[in-house]
Amino acid sequence: MAEPDEIVELHARNEQLGRAPATRAVIDQARGTVMALAPCAGERAWDLPVGVSQHCNIKLRDVPAALVATTKDRMLPEPIQREL
């Protein structure tokens, strides 16, 4: 039988895996947006959100989501705008 800590960890992993496909789609959309706006390779388009996340202390998944939201007439959060 699993220990209580193991059960909590398994629940957290299960939750992460459930979010992964949607998160991956947003990341891919953001990479495509970056590649179209600032012609660059896919790897560089991935490096940009990673760098913004690190410099702004914003969760990595939130940076691509903010970039994709701009396609729906939403403004980028000010820290991300400043970093870009």
Side-chain angles (χ1 to χ4, degrees):
M1 188 159 139
E3 296 293 319
D5 290 343
E6 291 175 302
I7 292 171
V8 170
E9 183 178 331
L10 289 172
H11 281 292
R13 282 187 188 177
N14 190 33
E15 188 176 305
Q16 285 177 328
L17 289 172
R19 285 192 313 257
T23 301
R24 186 77 215 162
V26 170
I27 289 169
D28 288 342
Q29 290 171 8
R31 284 177 72 183
T33 301
V34 170
M35 290 169 68
L37 295 174
C40 61
E43 187 174 316
R44 177 64 185 127
W46 170 246
D47 292 342
L48 181 78
V50 170
V52 170
S53 170
Q54 291 173 345
H55 288 109
C56 295
N57 198 27
I58 297 172
K59 290 187 180 205
L60 178 57
R61 69 174 178 257
D62 294 339
V63 176
L67 289 170
V68 171
T70 65
T71 66
K72 297 175 183 162
D73 295 328
R74 294 198 183 128
M75 297 293 293
L76 279 173
E78 195 268 325
I80 294 175
Q81 284 182 25
R82 220 179 24 244
E83 185 63 27
L84 292 174

